[in-house]
Amino acid sequence: MKLDHTAKGVYAIAATPFHPDGRLDAASVDRLTDFYLGCGVTGLTILGIMGEAPKLEPEESLAITRQVVGRAAVPVVVGVSAPGFAAMRSLARNAMELGAAGVMIAPPSSLRTDEQIVTYYAQAVEAIGEDVPFVIQDYPLTLGVVMTPNVIRTIVQNHPSCVMLKHEDWPGLEKISKLRAFQAAGEMRQISILCGNGGLFLDFEMERGADGAMTGYVFPDMLVDTVRLQREGRRDEAHDLFDAHLPLIRYEQQQGVGLAVRKYVLQKRGAIASDAQRKPASGISATARAEVDYLLSRVGRYDRRARL
Amino acid sequence: MKLDHTAKGVYAIAATPFHPDGRLDAASVDRLTDFYLGCGVTGLTILGIMGEAPKLEPEESLAITRQVVGRAAVPVVVGVSAPGFAAMRSLARNAMELGAAGVMIAPPSSLRTDEQIVTYYAQAVEAIGEDVPFVIQDYPLTLGVVMTPNVIRTIVQNHPSCVMLKHEDWPGLEKISKLRAFQAAGEMRQISILCGNGGLFLDFEMERGADGAMTGYVFPDMLVDTVRLQREGRRDEAHDLFDAHLPLIRYEQQQGVGLAVRKYVLQKRGAIASDAQRKPASGISATARAEVDYLLSRVGRYDRRARL
Amino acid sequence: MKLDHTAKGVYAIAATPFHPDGRLDAASVDRLTDFYLGCGVTGLTILGIMGEAPKLEPEESLAITRQVVGRAAVPVVVGVSAPGFAAMRSLARNAMELGAAGVMIAPPSSLRTDEQIVTYYAQAVEAIGEDVPFVIQDYPLTLGVVMTPNVIRTIVQNHPSCVMLKHEDWPGLEKISKLRAFQAAGEMRQISILCGNGGLFLDFEMERGADGAMTGYVFPDMLVDTVRLQREGRRDEAHDLFDAHLPLIRYEQQQGVGLAVRKYVLQKRGAIASDAQRKPASGISATARAEVDYLLSRVGRYDRRARL
Amino acid sequence: MKLDHTAKGVYAIAATPFHPDGRLDAASVDRLTDFYLGCGVTGLTILGIMGEAPKLEPEESLAITRQVVGRAAVPVVVGVSAPGFAAMRSLARNAMELGAAGVMIAPPSSLRTDEQIVTYYAQAVEAIGEDVPFVIQDYPLTLGVVMTPNVIRTIVQNHPSCVMLKHEDWPGLEKISKLRAFQAAGEMRQISILCGNGGLFLDFEMERGADGAMTGYVFPDMLVDTVRLQREGRRDEAHDLFDAHLPLIRYEQQQGVGLAVRKYVLQKRGAIASDAQRKPASGISATARAEVDYLLSRVGRYDRRARL
């Protein structure tokens, strides 16, 4: 089951569960996978930034891939961004052999010009092989690399194996409109566009033509509903639900602190045993925990899933 | 009426009104000033980033200062950030002579180390004079300079004329707690902390010990109410009001597009004649305008001030 | 006498002389201008980064322009880079009226994509007017903006008033070859290429097709000779002379310290009365001064002009 | 034989030899090791930036370490910089077990404040263990992290296992003076300072108090001589030799191109079989090769080792 341009819905960006002492928590990997599936996601993305991928050793990355792919009944995308193409190739080939649906590649932050970005993806495709479907991660806020719609189009046109854009440019609404206009004009192949940024603009991103979300907000079930409502044309209902969660989405979107908040809530939802992060990590203070609890109680007035 | 550490409430970051052909719109400067006062703000900040200050010529900066200070019955803070200390001194001395309450200084983005930041503010104080009250602008997202609580404390302790922090670090809640803890322990002078970032975290910033907001959200009247409610201990009411506006606050917070949205809404509220920006500027598409209208209609269900 | 694409030789980047108390030293402006002319330069560039331009007030910038243009018998290029187009236009129009030969424009460091860079120069040309010849400053090391040969070609083709590239990309030898190849293939108009970076690669830049140097090395007379020798095909002699100066060129190329070294040597050469910089400035230690003296004595074994 | 603060002389930063198809060239690893030893180096540093470390897979890193440590009669420092502490610990512990003398740690480019840098090294020491001697790599030009002398002192004082600074700040001469002044005043433990930056300032760095060089210039034998001459107080001779090589040192110092130049010359010197780099890589044009040949011929007039 390979990833292709028709992908839709919600791909949860999966956290990586650790024991308090830093070891991988394999039992929680299963529990978390089941949790996401229970939320109605159409796919999973593992080993992304939120998954603390750079802190893992290669064998751990493979072990997680094996475990999640073996358990999930949905397509699994594996983050394979790496400083060198040897490691990228190795992880990508191994992941696909284990049954992954595709891989995700973020540009290294040293890239500056349009040509450098286009060339980088050409080299990456050469490394992983043209038979491996891949996702472009477009995340300037964290990665520092800015891709214009033209650059994305060039990569899409150069590489048939490019099937999806993880869209998290900020601001990015006009970018979605522009890419969809390219397609409408026959100037670009159809690709799937799933949105990140913690879901902060998902309400309007769907209206601009996105196919769904690929992000780590701790209520993937809400993302699933919002995407569905928007696809059914129930705009006001979609916004009502989304707005009820927005104070928490916004809180999670704080760089650095965000992951601590997510793991804290995932633990509260019973999806993982411990909210531990592997070092280096930023913790969450008692005050912040109380703030999150307060936010949950407020969201819970509208959405009972938040009553934890 | 000089700015001091007891400043509280809401200082609106003022837009600078232009005619469609790029000339300053002096009539709208008055209208906008009256609008802000009508919103109940306790102060005004002019010539900030949102005020398109770097696009102004020196005589224009002075003309705006003269006009706003002459009309406003509240303290006016003037942004004097400049690449060189000669221009900074010149604008600061002139602004104070015209009746400004104080000035705001952002660090140049070339600064990296703690020492460089501390030294920069020492040189700035030497340039503008120790008699001019100043505000530190702490805005890493846009300026690229990261100040630790210790660095801020050092600046505050070194310079009695430092009376306020415009707090817009992100994430920044713990920073407010830390600074207030310094004060509680007698390790730092009392300063005023007003929060920026478009107000995106104002609900919790007040609970962490902020004195109010200094930002450009187009409903300063809502910011005034939120600050008041929080100060009166009416937490749930404060969050209810804030959350009703959050979808629009979030929309405005998009870097680049944000100013276009603000000017569009200020025009709708009758505060300025034209939403024109001086070049270079990023515009607002018809789709984005419709999105803002939709957001206003939704906010308007809760807060009649948004029914435009 | 307007700047055009046939410009050749050495354009000295002029320092701006100050009195120790920070005031402009008008007498030294004349003395320095005469010094450069005596070195055989074919042009002068004022109000660049080395000229401490951002530390000047607008009226000072005009005063310097008036003075240098009035005294120099060679074309004078004026740096007009500014955060906003109003100030850029104002300085550019005024400078041309005072008799400047052209202006130089550096991209603001916020630019990232090819499109942003091309658009910026289009807006700049609209601001200053199509009748003002301009120089692109391509200096990624300091400015953080990377322009590919394609981007430079697009700017050149879009704007007939673009007549020169101040080339200081690093590494940049292949870039010169590529741009000259564009011209040879009829894909780009002819432009003048003068090289910066303190002259650190001038020996080979000439061989790659540059027309000369535009930089601030304190022996412009040596640059003049090197350019001449290379143009006459006397390769070994050019390198012999250049290599004799290289230890000092390298020393000057230290970011931050460089200007202090240059003013120190300019003072020793009698070109300015004081080596003072306007604040913020980095000084030069006694040890560094002794190192420069030692370097001068070593260069002086080969080139008597360095015996100071 | 563990690295300690008395380390002196030249530690060559070793290239990693590949076959043209990208495989590791184990035979050349031996040949290159022997070459460095024949140059008179007092130590070797492997798996640094120049060693294309991020392009290697973990087992390759260990294989190289095993091979070099097994063959070299001098201390071997292993670069263990990694995005996560798990990988750093793993490589550091394994390398020490294989007989490495110590490890080198560069700060990740996301670090900004003094506190972040100090904390990072504390976490790194916790990860690798307090028994592993380590080298701070201070290389702002490439890494983007600026460490003040105070920050370095704090790290040194906090961690007895910090024994060396790889100094490549730019400009950095005053930094060496400052650190040695700390030591003279009894404010900092003695550490070894070896200098990088391709050796571009080695002549004066030795005079400021450095203990030698740790860099990848292709004539380590020249570095050895320069260090020796300076230590013997033969200043003019040291500069004469150094200056003869400076045109090539400068050429190599071009970011990106530099490694291609180094591998090209290493191949010419017979130290490796192929100048291939693993992808992504920047190549060297025919023109550049000819320029290097010309430089070699010029250096060769003074130093016969360059007559290749």
Side-chain angles (χ1 to χ4, degrees), chain B residues 41-75:
Chain B
V41 302
T42 47
L44 282 173
T45 301
I46 60 175
L47 306 184
I49 298 172
M50 176 187 163
E52 303 176 59
K55 304 179 195 167
L56 299 171
E57 302 211 54
E59 56 271 29
E60 292 175 323
S61 298
L62 285 181
I64 293 169
T65 304
R66 185 177 295 112
Q67 193 176 346
V68 174
V69 168
R71 191 168 190 94
V74 297

Side-chain angles (χ1 to χ4, degrees), chain A residues 35-65:
Chain A
F35 164 79
Y36 287 130
L37 294 176
C39 287
V41 303
T42 48
L44 282 173
T45 301
I46 60 175
L47 306 184
I49 298 171
M50 176 187 164
E52 304 176 58
K55 305 180 196 166
L56 299 171
E57 302 211 53
E59 56 272 28
E60 292 175 322
S61 298
L62 284 181
I64 294 169
T65 304

Side-chain angles (χ1 to χ4, degrees), chain C residues 57-113:
Chain C
E57 302 211 55
E59 57 271 29
E60 292 175 323
S61 298
L62 285 181
I64 294 168
T65 304
R66 184 177 297 111
Q67 194 176 345
V68 175
V69 168
R71 192 169 189 93
V74 298
V76 176
V77 174
V78 178
V80 296
S81 305
F85 288 129
M88 184 188 291
R89 172 186 174 79
S90 165
L91 180 53
R93 303 301 304 182
N94 284 326
M96 294 306 289
E97 218 158 277
L98 291 170
V103 302
M104 182 161 71
I105 301 172
S109 48
S110 57
L111 302 183
R112 277 292 167 273
T113 69

Side-chain angles (χ1 to χ4, degrees), chain B residues 195-203 205 215 217 223 242 249 253:
Chain B
C195 299
N197 261 325
L200 196 62
F201 297 95
L202 183 61
D203 47 350
E205 286 164 340
T215 194
Y217 180 54
L223 299 174
F242 180 85
I249 292 174
Q253 190 61 2

Side-chain angles (χ1 to χ4, degrees), chain B residues 7-215:
Chain B
K8 280 182 170 44
V10 174
Y11 278 58
I13 299 272
T16 300
F18 295 103
H19 290 291
D21 63 5
R23 281 176 305 118
L24 262 181
D25 176 357
S28 286
V29 171
D30 276 354
R31 221 206 291 183
L32 184 61
T33 303
D34 295 346
F35 164 79
Y36 286 131
L37 295 176
C39 287
V41 302
T42 47
L44 282 173
T45 301
I46 60 175
L47 306 184
I49 298 172
M50 176 187 163
E52 303 176 59
K55 304 179 195 167
L56 299 171
E57 302 211 54
E59 56 271 29
E60 292 175 323
S61 298
L62 285 181
I64 293 169
T65 304
R66 185 177 295 112
Q67 193 176 346
V68 174
V69 168
R71 191 168 190 94
V74 297
V76 176
V77 174
V78 178
V80 298
S81 305
F85 288 129
M88 184 188 291
R89 173 185 174 78
S90 165
L91 180 54
R93 303 303 302 184
N94 284 325
M96 294 306 289
E97 218 158 278
L98 291 170
V103 303
M104 182 162 70
I105 301 172
S109 48
S110 56
L111 302 183
R112 276 292 167 274
T113 69
D114 291 5
E115 283 169 22
Q116 288 171 344
I117 300 168
V118 168
T119 301
Y120 182 82
Y121 275 95
Q123 292 178 311
V125 169
E126 193 193 327
I128 63 173
E130 295 182 356
D131 55 327
V132 177
F134 75 96
V135 182
I136 300 173
Q137 184 172 19
D138 180 18
Y139 193 13
L141 190 66
T142 290
L143 301 171
V145 178
V146 183
M147 302 187 199
T148 62
N150 279 329
V151 162
I152 293 168
R153 175 171 58 177
T154 303
I155 298 169
V156 169
Q157 296 305 88
N158 287 353
H159 306 290
S161 55
C162 177
V163 296
M164 185 187 285
L165 174 70
K166 180 176 199 300
H167 167 274
E168 36 196 347
D169 197 353
W170 187 3
L173 294 174
E174 301 299 336
K175 193 178 226 174
I176 299 175
S177 296
K178 183 83 181 168
L179 291 170
R180 290 310 190 204
F182 283 159
Q183 293 182 178
E187 296 166 6
M188 190 178 92
R189 265 198 307 113
Q190 176 82 23
I191 55 166
S192 170
I193 300 181
L194 300 188
C195 299
N197 261 325
L200 196 62
F201 297 95
L202 183 61
D203 47 350
F204 289 109
E205 286 164 340
M206 288 305 298
E207 302 179 11
R208 294 290 188 122
D211 294 301
M214 182 187 277
T215 194

Side-chain angles (χ1 to χ4, degrees), chain D:
Chain D
M1 184 170 47
K2 278 197 179 177
L3 196 69
D4 67 28
H5 67 276
T6 65
K8 281 181 170 45
V10 174
Y11 277 59
I13 299 272
T16 300
F18 296 104
H19 290 291
D21 62 5
R23 282 176 305 118
L24 262 180
D25 176 359
S28 286
V29 171
D30 276 354
R31 221 206 293 182
L32 184 61
T33 303
D34 295 347
F35 164 80
Y36 287 131
L37 295 175
C39 288
V41 302
T42 48
L44 282 173
T45 302
I46 59 174
L47 306 183
I49 297 171
M50 176 187 164
E52 303 177 59
K55 305 180 195 166
L56 298 172
E57 302 211 52
E59 56 271 27
E60 292 175 323
S61 298
L62 285 181
I64 293 168
T65 304
R66 184 177 296 113
Q67 194 176 345
V68 175
V69 168
R71 192 166 188 96
V74 297
V76 176
V77 174
V78 178
V80 298
S81 306
F85 288 129
M88 184 189 291
R89 173 186 174 78
S90 166
L91 180 53
R93 304 301 302 184
N94 284 325
M96 294 306 287
E97 218 157 278
L98 291 170
V103 302
M104 183 162 69
I105 300 172
S109 48
S110 56
L111 302 182
R112 277 291 167 274
T113 69
D114 291 6
E115 283 168 21
Q116 288 171 344
I117 299 168
V118 168
T119 301
Y120 182 82
Y121 275 94
Q123 293 178 311
V125 169
E126 193 193 329
I128 64 173
E130 296 181 355
D131 55 327
V132 177
F134 74 96
V135 181
I136 300 172
Q137 184 173 18
D138 180 18
Y139 193 14
L141 190 66
T142 290
L143 302 171
V145 178
V146 183
M147 303 187 199
T148 62
N150 278 329
V151 162
I152 293 168
R153 175 172 57 178
T154 303
I155 298 170
V156 170
Q157 296 304 90
N158 287 352
H159 306 291
S161 54
C162 177
V163 296
M164 184 188 287
L165 175 70
K166 180 176 199 298
H167 168 274
E168 37 196 346
D169 198 354
W170 188 3
L173 294 174
E174 300 298 337
K175 193 178 226 174
I176 299 174
S177 296
K178 182 83 181 166
L179 291 170
R180 290 310 190 204
F182 283 159
Q183 293 182 178
E187 297 166 6
M188 190 178 90
R189 266 197 306 113
Q190 176 82 24
I191 55 165
S192 170
I193 299 181
L194 300 187
C195 299
N197 261 325
L200 196 62
F201 296 95
L202 183 60
D203 47 350
F204 289 110
E205 286 163 341
M206 289 305 297
E207 301 179 10
R208 293 291 187 121
D211 295 302
M214 182 187 277
T215 194
Y217 181 55
V218 285
F219 288 89
D221 24 7
M222 184 284 284
L223 299 174
V224 167
D225 290 345
T226 300
V227 167
R228 183 179 43 78
L229 289 167
Q230 283 284 18
R231 296 179 63 88
E232 293 172 6
R234 296 154 70 183
R235 187 188 198 190
D236 290 343
E237 286 170 83
H239 280 273
D240 287 345
L241 174 60
F242 179 85
D243 287 356
H245 280 263
L246 185 53
L248 180 56
I249 291 175
R250 174 262 338 227
Y251 197 95
E252 265 192 26
Q253 190 60 2
Q254 298 174 82
Q255 298 275 317
V257 176
L259 180 57
V261 174
R262 285 179 178 169
K263 286 198 150 180
Y264 172 68
V265 180
L266 284 174
Q267 188 184 20
K268 281 188 94 120
R269 294 195 78 182
I272 55 177
S274 158
D275 66 354
Q277 295 174 50
R278 196 170 265 187
K279 291 184 183 173
S282 56
I284 180 171
S285 69
T287 309
R289 244 183 247 114
E291 288 167 344
V292 173
D293 289 346
Y294 179 67
L295 285 169
L296 286 169
S297 75
R298 290 180 58 82
V299 177
R301 295 176 312 174
Y302 186 94
D303 184 341
R304 60 169 52 242
R305 292 172 291 204
R307 295 177 201 157
L308 302 176

